[in-house]
Amino acid sequence: MNCRRLTTAAAVLVLMLAAGCESQSSALPPPHEINDTTVSVLDGMSLKDYPGPKAQIEYADGQTDFFCDTLGLFSVYLRPEQDRKVSAMYVQDMGAADWQHPVGHWIDAKRATYVVGAKKLGAMGQTFASFASEADAQQFAKSEGGKLYRFDQITIDMATVDGGVIKDQNM
């Protein structure tokens, strides 16, 4: 009987250690801070020069792409041809960051609550305001308009970056 208890205890210990290793390996890499040379991968705009929430995608190969607004992150991540392995995605918590000069306050993009359709503009015009707290997002929507969405509710059709321009099909 003692041998069975010892075997069971050893098995439980191995499972606990394996679970601990798994949680460590699944931890997100830390976000990068914006500096004077940080530019958007989409258009080369300096992230420090514009208001509203910024975003970043960290890829498994170690490269990080920055976006001057959250809309850019979604427009890239949701593209059907996007097949690069993503390690982490971050957006800024606008419940904590200054809208006009956001610095730091990075949160996991997949856990954020977004306000889409607000009157308050970001770097490229309309943006998806990102919040760590649903209560902060609700308060923002109450004062600035818009509707709340979770990460997985945002579609590629919502994340268009063409400014709504209708393309001339005759060209």
Side-chain angles (χ1 to χ4, degrees), residues 64-106:
T64 300
D65 284 346
F66 290 92
F67 303 90
C68 59
D69 66 17
T70 52
L71 184 62
L73 176 138
F74 282 100
S75 74
V76 168
Y77 180 73
L78 295 175
R79 285 182 194 157
E81 66 272 16
Q82 198 309 97
D83 62 356
R84 292 177 70 187
K85 183 160 174 46
V86 172
S87 295
M89 291 182 286
Y90 294 103
V91 294
Q92 289 177 303
D93 176 11
M94 299 315 291
D98 177 327
W99 189 274
Q100 291 304 314
H101 305 285
V103 176
H105 301 286
W106 295 105

mmCIF file of all heavy atoms in Angstrom, residues 64-106:
data_model
loop_
_atom_site.group_PDB
_atom_site.id
_atom_site.type_symbol
_atom_site.label_atom_id
_atom_site.label_comp_id
_atom_site.label_asym_id
_atom_site.label_seq_id
_atom_site.Cartn_x
_atom_site.Cartn_y
_atom_site.Cartn_z
ATOM 1 N N THR A 64 8.856 42.382 -34.085
ATOM 2 C CA THR A 64 7.681 43.072 -33.571
ATOM 3 C C THR A 64 7.227 44.100 -34.593
ATOM 4 O O THR A 64 8.034 44.879 -35.094
ATOM 5 C CB THR A 64 7.987 43.784 -32.240
ATOM 6 O OG1 THR A 64 8.405 42.798 -31.289
ATOM 7 C CG2 THR A 64 6.769 44.513 -31.697
ATOM 8 N N ASP A 65 5.942 44.075 -34.918
ATOM 9 C CA ASP A 65 5.343 45.093 -35.780
ATOM 10 C C ASP A 65 4.518 46.019 -34.907
ATOM 11 O O ASP A 65 3.733 45.556 -34.065
ATOM 12 C CB ASP A 65 4.437 44.462 -36.843
ATOM 13 C CG ASP A 65 5.206 43.816 -37.984
ATOM 14 O OD1 ASP A 65 6.428 44.069 -38.114
ATOM 15 O OD2 ASP A 65 4.591 43.057 -38.754
ATOM 16 N N PHE A 66 4.707 47.323 -35.093
ATOM 17 C CA PHE A 66 3.952 48.334 -34.354
ATOM 18 C C PHE A 66 2.890 48.947 -35.256
ATOM 19 O O PHE A 66 3.066 49.022 -36.476
ATOM 20 C CB PHE A 66 4.890 49.446 -33.863
ATOM 21 C CG PHE A 66 5.810 49.007 -32.774
ATOM 22 C CD1 PHE A 66 7.074 48.521 -33.063
ATOM 23 C CD2 PHE A 66 5.406 49.067 -31.447
ATOM 24 C CE1 PHE A 66 7.929 48.115 -32.053
ATOM 25 C CE2 PHE A 66 6.260 48.658 -30.435
ATOM 26 C CZ PHE A 66 7.518 48.182 -30.735
ATOM 27 N N PHE A 67 1.826 49.431 -34.642
ATOM 28 C CA PHE A 67 0.721 50.060 -35.352
ATOM 29 C C PHE A 67 0.354 51.353 -34.654
ATOM 30 O O PHE A 67 0.283 51.398 -33.425
ATOM 31 C CB PHE A 67 -0.490 49.122 -35.389
ATOM 32 C CG PHE A 67 -0.168 47.794 -36.008
ATOM 33 C CD1 PHE A 67 0.292 46.736 -35.232
ATOM 34 C CD2 PHE A 67 -0.289 47.605 -37.378
ATOM 35 C CE1 PHE A 67 0.617 45.522 -35.799
ATOM 36 C CE2 PHE A 67 0.031 46.384 -37.956
ATOM 37 C CZ PHE A 67 0.485 45.346 -37.170
ATOM 38 N N CYS A 68 0.099 52.396 -35.439
ATOM 39 C CA CYS A 68 -0.222 53.693 -34.843
ATOM 40 C C CYS A 68 -1.642 53.736 -34.297
ATOM 41 O O CYS A 68 -2.025 54.695 -33.643
ATOM 42 C CB CYS A 68 0.024 54.833 -35.834
ATOM 43 S SG CYS A 68 -0.910 54.719 -37.346
ATOM 44 N N ASP A 69 -2.420 52.675 -34.557
ATOM 45 C CA ASP A 69 -3.721 52.538 -33.908
ATOM 46 C C ASP A 69 -4.126 51.062 -33.873
ATOM 47 O O ASP A 69 -3.514 50.225 -34.530
ATOM 48 C CB ASP A 69 -4.796 53.412 -34.554
ATOM 49 C CG ASP A 69 -5.144 53.013 -35.973
ATOM 50 O OD1 ASP A 69 -4.828 51.884 -36.391
ATOM 51 O OD2 ASP A 69 -5.740 53.828 -36.668
ATOM 52 N N THR A 70 -5.145 50.757 -33.111
ATOM 53 C CA THR A 70 -5.577 49.374 -32.944
ATOM 54 C C THR A 70 -6.221 48.828 -34.213
ATOM 55 O O THR A 70 -6.166 47.627 -34.465
ATOM 56 C CB THR A 70 -6.569 49.266 -31.776
ATOM 57 O OG1 THR A 70 -7.617 50.215 -31.967
ATOM 58 C CG2 THR A 70 -5.887 49.537 -30.449
ATOM 59 N N LEU A 71 -6.811 49.677 -34.993
ATOM 60 C CA LEU A 71 -7.435 49.251 -36.241
ATOM 61 C C LEU A 71 -6.400 48.581 -37.148
ATOM 62 O O LEU A 71 -6.681 47.568 -37.788
ATOM 63 C CB LEU A 71 -8.065 50.466 -36.942
ATOM 64 C CG LEU A 71 -8.836 50.212 -38.215
ATOM 65 C CD1 LEU A 71 -10.028 49.317 -37.962
ATOM 66 C CD2 LEU A 71 -9.300 51.540 -38.794
ATOM 67 N N GLY A 72 -5.182 49.116 -37.186
ATOM 68 C CA GLY A 72 -4.110 48.535 -37.985
ATOM 69 C C GLY A 72 -3.766 47.124 -37.547
ATOM 70 O O GLY A 72 -3.543 46.238 -38.377
ATOM 71 N N LEU A 73 -3.710 46.895 -36.243
ATOM 72 C CA LEU A 73 -3.433 45.559 -35.733
ATOM 73 C C LEU A 73 -4.459 44.567 -36.257
ATOM 74 O O LEU A 73 -4.100 43.505 -36.784
ATOM 75 C CB LEU A 73 -3.439 45.559 -34.202
ATOM 76 C CG LEU A 73 -3.264 44.185 -33.547
ATOM 77 C CD1 LEU A 73 -2.318 44.276 -32.370
ATOM 78 C CD2 LEU A 73 -4.586 43.628 -33.105
ATOM 79 N N PHE A 74 -5.733 44.901 -36.147
ATOM 80 C CA PHE A 74 -6.781 43.991 -36.606
ATOM 81 C C PHE A 74 -6.748 43.804 -38.119
ATOM 82 O O PHE A 74 -6.983 42.703 -38.612
ATOM 83 C CB PHE A 74 -8.163 44.482 -36.163
ATOM 84 C CG PHE A 74 -8.450 44.180 -34.719
ATOM 85 C CD1 PHE A 74 -8.307 45.162 -33.759
ATOM 86 C CD2 PHE A 74 -8.852 42.921 -34.318
ATOM 87 C CE1 PHE A 74 -8.564 44.893 -32.420
ATOM 88 C CE2 PHE A 74 -9.113 42.631 -32.987
ATOM 89 C CZ PHE A 74 -8.970 43.625 -32.038
ATOM 90 N N SER A 75 -6.458 44.867 -38.860
ATOM 91 C CA SER A 75 -6.431 44.745 -40.316
ATOM 92 C C SER A 75 -5.338 43.793 -40.784
ATOM 93 O O SER A 75 -5.484 43.117 -41.787
ATOM 94 C CB SER A 75 -6.268 46.114 -40.976
ATOM 95 O OG SER A 75 -4.956 46.596 -40.828
ATOM 96 N N VAL A 76 -4.241 43.698 -40.038
ATOM 97 C CA VAL A 76 -3.159 42.768 -40.376
ATOM 98 C C VAL A 76 -3.453 41.372 -39.813
ATOM 99 O O VAL A 76 -3.375 40.373 -40.523
ATOM 100 C CB VAL A 76 -1.803 43.293 -39.853
ATOM 101 C CG1 VAL A 76 -0.724 42.230 -39.922
ATOM 102 C CG2 VAL A 76 -1.394 44.530 -40.633
ATOM 103 N N TYR A 77 -3.797 41.295 -38.554
ATOM 104 C CA TYR A 77 -3.982 40.002 -37.897
ATOM 105 C C TYR A 77 -5.128 39.201 -38.521
ATOM 106 O O TYR A 77 -5.039 37.976 -38.636
ATOM 107 C CB TYR A 77 -4.238 40.208 -36.404
ATOM 108 C CG TYR A 77 -4.446 38.906 -35.662
ATOM 109 C CD1 TYR A 77 -3.363 38.056 -35.417
ATOM 110 C CD2 TYR A 77 -5.698 38.517 -35.223
ATOM 111 C CE1 TYR A 77 -3.538 36.854 -34.753
ATOM 112 C CE2 TYR A 77 -5.884 37.317 -34.561
ATOM 113 C CZ TYR A 77 -4.810 36.489 -34.324
ATOM 114 O OH TYR A 77 -4.992 35.294 -33.675
ATOM 115 N N LEU A 78 -6.195 39.865 -38.928
ATOM 116 C CA LEU A 78 -7.371 39.165 -39.449
ATOM 117 C C LEU A 78 -7.315 38.868 -40.948
ATOM 118 O O LEU A 78 -8.212 38.216 -41.470
ATOM 119 C CB LEU A 78 -8.637 39.967 -39.127
ATOM 120 C CG LEU A 78 -8.967 40.099 -37.637
ATOM 121 C CD1 LEU A 78 -10.163 41.018 -37.443
ATOM 122 C CD2 LEU A 78 -9.202 38.740 -37.000
ATOM 123 N N ARG A 79 -6.279 39.333 -41.629
ATOM 124 C CA ARG A 79 -6.153 39.024 -43.065
ATOM 125 C C ARG A 79 -6.080 37.514 -43.260
ATOM 126 O O ARG A 79 -5.329 36.841 -42.542
ATOM 127 C CB ARG A 79 -4.875 39.625 -43.650
ATOM 128 C CG ARG A 79 -4.919 41.084 -43.870
ATOM 129 C CD ARG A 79 -3.601 41.514 -44.507
ATOM 130 N NE ARG A 79 -3.475 42.960 -44.436
ATOM 131 C CZ ARG A 79 -2.325 43.596 -44.478
ATOM 132 N NH1 ARG A 79 -1.190 42.942 -44.601
ATOM 133 N NH2 ARG A 79 -2.298 44.905 -44.420
ATOM 134 N N PRO A 80 -6.802 37.005 -44.244
ATOM 135 C CA PRO A 80 -6.743 35.554 -44.491
ATOM 136 C C PRO A 80 -5.332 35.061 -44.810
ATOM 137 O O PRO A 80 -4.966 33.947 -44.457
ATOM 138 C CB PRO A 80 -7.655 35.362 -45.704
ATOM 139 C CG PRO A 80 -8.483 36.579 -45.785
ATOM 140 C CD PRO A 80 -7.725 37.683 -45.114
ATOM 141 N N GLU A 81 -4.526 35.897 -45.431
ATOM 142 C CA GLU A 81 -3.165 35.475 -45.802
ATOM 143 C C GLU A 81 -2.159 35.594 -44.658
ATOM 144 O O GLU A 81 -1.005 35.200 -44.801
ATOM 145 C CB GLU A 81 -2.668 36.255 -47.034
ATOM 146 C CG GLU A 81 -2.475 37.735 -46.791
ATOM 147 C CD GLU A 81 -3.713 38.596 -47.030
ATOM 148 O OE1 GLU A 81 -4.841 38.054 -47.099
ATOM 149 O OE2 GLU A 81 -3.549 39.817 -47.118
ATOM 150 N N GLN A 82 -2.581 36.114 -43.511
ATOM 151 C CA GLN A 82 -1.685 36.263 -42.362
ATOM 152 C C GLN A 82 -1.435 34.872 -41.782
ATOM 153 O O GLN A 82 -2.300 34.276 -41.180
ATOM 154 C CB GLN A 82 -2.325 37.162 -41.313
ATOM 155 C CG GLN A 82 -1.422 37.775 -40.243
ATOM 156 C CD GLN A 82 -0.500 36.855 -39.471
ATOM 157 O OE1 GLN A 82 0.645 36.753 -39.835
ATOM 158 N NE2 GLN A 82 -0.970 36.217 -38.426
ATOM 159 N N ASP A 83 -0.219 34.356 -41.980
ATOM 160 C CA ASP A 83 0.082 33.017 -41.489
ATOM 161 C C ASP A 83 1.316 32.966 -40.589
ATOM 162 O O ASP A 83 1.766 31.892 -40.228
ATOM 163 C CB ASP A 83 0.236 32.037 -42.651
ATOM 164 C CG ASP A 83 1.386 32.391 -43.580
ATOM 165 O OD1 ASP A 83 2.030 33.441 -43.374
ATOM 166 O OD2 ASP A 83 1.648 31.617 -44.518
ATOM 167 N N ARG A 84 1.843 34.128 -40.223
ATOM 168 C CA ARG A 84 2.991 34.150 -39.314
ATOM 169 C C ARG A 84 2.537 33.780 -37.910
ATOM 170 O O ARG A 84 1.479 34.207 -37.454
ATOM 171 C CB ARG A 84 3.626 35.537 -39.289
ATOM 172 C CG ARG A 84 4.299 35.884 -40.609
ATOM 173 C CD ARG A 84 4.857 37.271 -40.590
ATOM 174 N NE ARG A 84 6.011 37.352 -39.708
ATOM 175 C CZ ARG A 84 6.615 38.493 -39.399
ATOM 176 N NH1 ARG A 84 6.163 39.643 -39.896
ATOM 177 N NH2 ARG A 84 7.654 38.505 -38.595
ATOM 178 N N LYS A 85 3.358 33.004 -37.207
ATOM 179 C CA LYS A 85 3.030 32.601 -35.839
ATOM 180 C C LYS A 85 3.195 33.814 -34.917
ATOM 181 O O LYS A 85 4.246 34.436 -34.878
ATOM 182 C CB LYS A 85 3.926 31.463 -35.397
ATOM 183 C CG LYS A 85 3.587 30.961 -34.009
ATOM 184 C CD LYS A 85 4.121 29.587 -33.758
ATOM 185 C CE LYS A 85 3.928 29.118 -32.351
ATOM 186 N NZ LYS A 85 2.653 29.317 -31.749
ATOM 187 N N VAL A 86 2.137 34.118 -34.214
ATOM 188 C CA VAL A 86 2.098 35.268 -33.309
ATOM 189 C C VAL A 86 2.364 34.801 -31.883
ATOM 190 O O VAL A 86 1.722 33.866 -31.398
ATOM 191 C CB VAL A 86 0.726 35.974 -33.396
ATOM 192 C CG1 VAL A 86 0.589 37.058 -32.336
ATOM 193 C CG2 VAL A 86 0.499 36.536 -34.793
ATOM 194 N N SER A 87 3.317 35.455 -31.212
ATOM 195 C CA SER A 87 3.607 35.150 -29.808
ATOM 196 C C SER A 87 2.715 35.954 -28.871
ATOM 197 O O SER A 87 2.295 35.458 -27.836
ATOM 198 C CB SER A 87 5.065 35.466 -29.478
ATOM 199 O OG SER A 87 5.921 34.626 -30.193
ATOM 200 N N ALA A 88 2.465 37.221 -29.238
ATOM 201 C CA ALA A 88 1.655 38.095 -28.380
ATOM 202 C C ALA A 88 1.177 39.290 -29.182
ATOM 203 O O ALA A 88 1.795 39.672 -30.181
ATOM 204 C CB ALA A 88 2.477 38.570 -27.186
ATOM 205 N N MET A 89 0.077 39.852 -28.732
ATOM 206 C CA MET A 89 -0.443 41.099 -29.293
ATOM 207 C C MET A 89 -0.816 41.998 -28.122
ATOM 208 O O MET A 89 -1.444 41.541 -27.168
ATOM 209 C CB MET A 89 -1.674 40.851 -30.168
ATOM 210 C CG MET A 89 -1.358 40.118 -31.444
ATOM 211 S SD MET A 89 -2.811 39.900 -32.485
ATOM 212 C CE MET A 89 -3.673 38.621 -31.576
ATOM 213 N N TYR A 90 -0.417 43.257 -28.233
ATOM 214 C CA TYR A 90 -0.702 44.203 -27.161
ATOM 215 C C TYR A 90 -1.379 45.446 -27.715
ATOM 216 O O TYR A 90 -1.111 45.873 -28.835
ATOM 217 C CB TYR A 90 0.596 44.626 -26.458
ATOM 218 C CG TYR A 90 1.265 43.495 -25.719
ATOM 219 C CD1 TYR A 90 2.376 42.859 -26.249
ATOM 220 C CD2 TYR A 90 0.777 43.071 -24.485
ATOM 221 C CE1 TYR A 90 2.995 41.820 -25.577
ATOM 222 C CE2 TYR A 90 1.392 42.028 -23.805
ATOM 223 C CZ TYR A 90 2.496 41.408 -24.353
ATOM 224 O OH TYR A 90 3.092 40.380 -23.684
ATOM 225 N N VAL A 91 -2.247 46.003 -26.889
ATOM 226 C CA VAL A 91 -2.873 47.303 -27.140
ATOM 227 C C VAL A 91 -2.746 48.100 -25.851
ATOM 228 O O VAL A 91 -2.439 47.543 -24.795
ATOM 229 C CB VAL A 91 -4.355 47.158 -27.562
ATOM 230 C CG1 VAL A 91 -4.476 46.465 -28.920
ATOM 231 C CG2 VAL A 91 -5.162 46.392 -26.510
ATOM 232 N N GLN A 92 -2.992 49.381 -25.941
ATOM 233 C CA GLN A 92 -2.880 50.208 -24.740
ATOM 234 C C GLN A 92 -4.230 50.319 -24.032
ATOM 235 O O GLN A 92 -5.276 50.441 -24.681
ATOM 236 C CB GLN A 92 -2.353 51.584 -25.106
ATOM 237 C CG GLN A 92 -0.891 51.531 -25.507
ATOM 238 C CD GLN A 92 -0.364 52.870 -25.938
ATOM 239 O OE1 GLN A 92 -0.894 53.481 -26.858
ATOM 240 N NE2 GLN A 92 0.690 53.328 -25.275
ATOM 241 N N ASP A 93 -4.188 50.286 -22.727
ATOM 242 C CA ASP A 93 -5.382 50.444 -21.893
ATOM 243 C C ASP A 93 -5.711 51.930 -21.815
ATOM 244 O O ASP A 93 -5.049 52.681 -21.104
ATOM 245 C CB ASP A 93 -5.137 49.872 -20.502
ATOM 246 C CG ASP A 93 -6.310 50.092 -19.563
ATOM 247 O OD1 ASP A 93 -7.402 50.506 -20.022
ATOM 248 O OD2 ASP A 93 -6.127 49.843 -18.355
ATOM 249 N N MET A 94 -6.740 52.338 -22.550
ATOM 250 C CA MET A 94 -7.087 53.754 -22.586
ATOM 251 C C MET A 94 -7.867 54.194 -21.349
ATOM 252 O O MET A 94 -8.172 55.371 -21.205
ATOM 253 C CB MET A 94 -7.844 54.074 -23.876
ATOM 254 C CG MET A 94 -7.006 53.788 -25.134
ATOM 255 S SD MET A 94 -5.292 54.380 -25.070
ATOM 256 C CE MET A 94 -5.523 56.144 -25.118
ATOM 257 N N GLY A 95 -8.128 53.281 -20.444
ATOM 258 C CA GLY A 95 -8.661 53.640 -19.139
ATOM 259 C C GLY A 95 -7.567 54.175 -18.235
ATOM 260 O O GLY A 95 -7.839 54.849 -17.243
ATOM 261 N N ALA A 96 -6.308 53.886 -18.603
ATOM 262 C CA ALA A 96 -5.159 54.325 -17.809
ATOM 263 C C ALA A 96 -4.262 55.296 -18.567
ATOM 264 O O ALA A 96 -3.631 56.155 -17.956
ATOM 265 C CB ALA A 96 -4.347 53.111 -17.361
ATOM 266 N N ALA A 97 -4.182 55.155 -19.881
ATOM 267 C CA ALA A 97 -3.276 55.991 -20.684
ATOM 268 C C ALA A 97 -3.944 57.307 -21.080
ATOM 269 O O ALA A 97 -5.162 57.380 -21.214
ATOM 270 C CB ALA A 97 -2.851 55.227 -21.945
ATOM 271 N N ASP A 98 -3.141 58.325 -21.292
ATOM 272 C CA ASP A 98 -3.599 59.629 -21.772
ATOM 273 C C ASP A 98 -3.908 59.510 -23.267
ATOM 274 O O ASP A 98 -3.046 59.107 -24.049
ATOM 275 C CB ASP A 98 -2.486 60.650 -21.533
ATOM 276 C CG ASP A 98 -2.809 62.043 -22.047
ATOM 277 O OD1 ASP A 98 -3.514 62.191 -23.064
ATOM 278 O OD2 ASP A 98 -2.327 63.014 -21.439
ATOM 279 N N TRP A 99 -5.126 59.843 -23.680
ATOM 280 C CA TRP A 99 -5.537 59.691 -25.076
ATOM 281 C C TRP A 99 -4.642 60.489 -26.031
ATOM 282 O O TRP A 99 -4.280 60.003 -27.098
ATOM 283 C CB TRP A 99 -7.000 60.113 -25.263
ATOM 284 C CG TRP A 99 -7.510 59.760 -26.630
ATOM 285 C CD1 TRP A 99 -7.393 60.508 -27.779
ATOM 286 C CD2 TRP A 99 -8.164 58.566 -27.013
ATOM 287 N NE1 TRP A 99 -7.945 59.844 -28.842
ATOM 288 C CE2 TRP A 99 -8.433 58.645 -28.395
ATOM 289 C CE3 TRP A 99 -8.564 57.418 -26.312
ATOM 290 C CZ2 TRP A 99 -9.081 57.630 -29.097
ATOM 291 C CZ3 TRP A 99 -9.219 56.413 -27.021
ATOM 292 C CH2 TRP A 99 -9.466 56.531 -28.390
ATOM 293 N N GLN A 100 -4.291 61.700 -25.662
ATOM 294 C CA GLN A 100 -3.510 62.555 -26.556
ATOM 295 C C GLN A 100 -2.047 62.118 -26.659
ATOM 296 O O GLN A 100 -1.427 62.298 -27.708
ATOM 297 C CB GLN A 100 -3.578 64.020 -26.097
ATOM 298 C CG GLN A 100 -4.956 64.633 -26.272
ATOM 299 C CD GLN A 100 -5.462 64.535 -27.715
ATOM 300 O OE1 GLN A 100 -4.747 64.820 -28.665
ATOM 301 N NE2 GLN A 100 -6.709 64.101 -27.871
ATOM 302 N N HIS A 101 -1.513 61.559 -25.588
ATOM 303 C CA HIS A 101 -0.101 61.142 -25.566
ATOM 304 C C HIS A 101 0.018 59.807 -24.830
ATOM 305 O O HIS A 101 0.605 59.751 -23.748
ATOM 306 C CB HIS A 101 0.762 62.203 -24.885
ATOM 307 C CG HIS A 101 0.622 63.561 -25.490
ATOM 308 N ND1 HIS A 101 1.201 63.899 -26.691
ATOM 309 C CD2 HIS A 101 -0.066 64.652 -25.083
ATOM 310 C CE1 HIS A 101 0.880 65.147 -26.995
ATOM 311 N NE2 HIS A 101 0.114 65.625 -26.035
ATOM 312 N N PRO A 102 -0.505 58.731 -25.421
ATOM 313 C CA PRO A 102 -0.475 57.448 -24.709
ATOM 314 C C PRO A 102 0.939 56.878 -24.608
ATOM 315 O O PRO A 102 1.678 56.846 -25.583
ATOM 316 C CB PRO A 102 -1.367 56.542 -25.565
ATOM 317 C CG PRO A 102 -1.341 57.149 -26.920
ATOM 318 C CD PRO A 102 -1.154 58.629 -26.725
ATOM 319 N N VAL A 103 1.299 56.481 -23.406
ATOM 320 C CA VAL A 103 2.604 55.883 -23.134
ATOM 321 C C VAL A 103 2.361 54.687 -22.214
ATOM 322 O O VAL A 103 1.632 54.800 -21.226
ATOM 323 C CB VAL A 103 3.554 56.892 -22.441
ATOM 324 C CG1 VAL A 103 4.868 56.225 -22.079
ATOM 325 C CG2 VAL A 103 3.788 58.105 -23.323
ATOM 326 N N GLY A 104 2.967 53.544 -22.540
ATOM 327 C CA GLY A 104 2.852 52.373 -21.678
ATOM 328 C C GLY A 104 1.438 51.843 -21.567
ATOM 329 O O GLY A 104 0.650 51.955 -22.506
ATOM 330 N N HIS A 105 1.125 51.258 -20.437
ATOM 331 C CA HIS A 105 -0.188 50.688 -20.138
ATOM 332 C C HIS A 105 -0.591 49.630 -21.164
ATOM 333 O O HIS A 105 -1.728 49.585 -21.624
ATOM 334 C CB HIS A 105 -1.263 51.777 -20.020
ATOM 335 C CG HIS A 105 -0.964 52.781 -18.967
ATOM 336 N ND1 HIS A 105 -1.083 52.506 -17.628
ATOM 337 C CD2 HIS A 105 -0.509 54.054 -19.052
ATOM 338 C CE1 HIS A 105 -0.734 53.570 -16.931
ATOM 339 N NE2 HIS A 105 -0.366 54.518 -17.768
ATOM 340 N N TRP A 106 0.375 48.747 -21.520
ATOM 341 C CA TRP A 106 0.118 47.682 -22.490
ATOM 342 C C TRP A 106 -0.662 46.552 -21.850
ATOM 343 O O TRP A 106 -0.377 46.142 -20.727
ATOM 344 C CB TRP A 106 1.436 47.152 -23.040
ATOM 345 C CG TRP A 106 2.181 48.165 -23.838
ATOM 346 C CD1 TRP A 106 3.290 48.866 -23.444
ATOM 347 C CD2 TRP A 106 1.879 48.614 -25.161
ATOM 348 N NE1 TRP A 106 3.695 49.715 -24.448
ATOM 349 C CE2 TRP A 106 2.838 49.585 -25.517
ATOM 350 C CE3 TRP A 106 0.895 48.298 -26.083
ATOM 351 C CZ2 TRP A 106 2.847 50.230 -26.744
ATOM 352 C CZ3 TRP A 106 0.894 48.933 -27.312
ATOM 353 C CH2 TRP A 106 1.862 49.884 -27.634
#
